[in-house]
Amino acid sequence: MPQPLTKETVDSKTDPSVSTQWDESTPKAEQFQELYKIADSMKSSLLTTMRPNIGPVSRSMAVAKRVGPDFLYLANIHAQKFEDLKENKTVQITFQDSSTQNWISITGEATTTDNADPRIKQIYSKGVNAWFGDLGDGIHTGMPEDPRMTLIEVKAKYIAYWKTTASSVGFLKEVTQASLTGKVADTGVNRQLFEKDIQEARDSSS
């Protein structure tokens, strides 16, 4: 139900669309399980790196595997993002589901490996070669042994996400009612997970 806007909220310079939906009561273990469920339902994300003299640069990338709160990507070592990561290992991963409005924002640190990493064969899936091509020399084949294929591992340091608690119809009804009554729409829960929480989740999933 839409929540009334209070003078206290305005005087404290708080964003009511955020404060009304903060969830600090749900157990962390449950928050992580719901985070994983949302992330696993969205196969692609935006991976954002920091480029010198430009700033944040994002590109869509398929998640090869999620390991607890961390994410693995297969990528071409010749891509510009590897040059970005040499200068700054801080990255952001973003997921958004336009059908539910669920979203996830992850700030983390990226590490890269060469083609010798055994995890490449473990997480390689059919269709990845479509993004690499086959030179026909028996080496640059787009398969797991291709020396261009490498791994980006992002270890999360801070996670924020929003999960809808309303159906599509309910979401529209809530927003409409809030707009007509001067109240603040309350359509989901907003959660944040800090480094300590994330490390505990990482330990429990290993």
Side-chain angles (χ1 to χ4, degrees), residues 8-205:
E8 180 184 5
T9 298
V10 175
D11 290 344
S12 64
K13 298 183 179 179
T14 301
D15 181 348
S17 67
V18 175
S19 62
T20 58
Q21 299 184 90
W22 273 126
D23 175 19
E24 297 179 343
S25 61
T26 300
K28 295 298 182 183
E30 184 177 337
Q31 291 190 36
F32 274 100
Q33 289 307 311
E34 294 190 344
L35 166 72
Y36 299 157
K37 184 176 180 180
I38 295 171
D40 293 346
S41 71
M42 294 182 278
K43 302 303 181 183
S44 294
S45 69
L46 285 180
L47 177 65
T48 303
T49 54
M50 295 298 295
R51 185 161 299 171
N53 302 316
I54 293 178
V57 177
S58 303
R59 76 283 294 160
S60 178
M61 291 190 68
V63 175
K65 186 177 183 180
R66 177 188 59 76
V67 182
D70 306 318
F71 294 81
L72 301 177
Y73 297 89
L74 292 175
N76 191 321
I77 191 64
H78 297 156
Q80 180 65 41
K81 55 182 164 282
F82 287 93
E83 295 302 315
D84 298 344
L85 293 173
K86 286 180 182 178
E87 299 294 328
N88 191 334
K89 296 187 181 302
T90 298
V91 299
Q92 184 178 47
I93 298 172
T94 308
F95 296 91
Q96 182 159 19
D97 184 341
S98 60
S99 64
T100 63
Q101 306 304 320
N102 290 339
W103 59 262
I104 302 170
S105 176
I106 300 168
T107 301
E109 184 171 298
T111 57
T112 61
T113 68
D114 60 24
N115 186 251
D117 192 319
R119 292 176 295 176
I120 292 175
K121 289 184 178 180
Q122 296 169 9
I123 65 177
Y124 180 90
S125 61
K126 185 178 180 180
V128 171
N129 62 330
W131 306 106
F132 285 78
D134 184 352
L135 186 60
D137 61 356
I139 299 174
H140 301 93
T141 60
M143 303 302 285
E145 299 80 7
D146 188 322
R148 296 172 297 164
M149 191 170 298
T150 188
L151 195 69
I152 298 175
E153 180 178 17
V154 178
K155 287 193 171 293
K157 299 181 75 173
Y158 172 77
I159 300 170
Y161 76 98
W162 184 88
K163 173 183 176 290
T164 185
T165 54
S167 65
S168 297
V169 173
F171 184 96
L172 181 59
K173 182 180 179 181
E174 175 82 7
V175 173
T176 301
Q177 186 176 353
S179 178
L180 293 174
T181 61
K183 294 183 178 180
V184 181
D186 184 2
T187 55
V189 289
N190 207 345
R191 295 166 174 164
Q192 56 182 345
L193 301 162
F194 296 94
E195 200 162 3
K196 179 178 180 293
D197 306 317
I198 295 167
Q199 186 58 54
E200 290 176 354
R202 187 177 290 126
D203 293 341
S204 67
S205 65

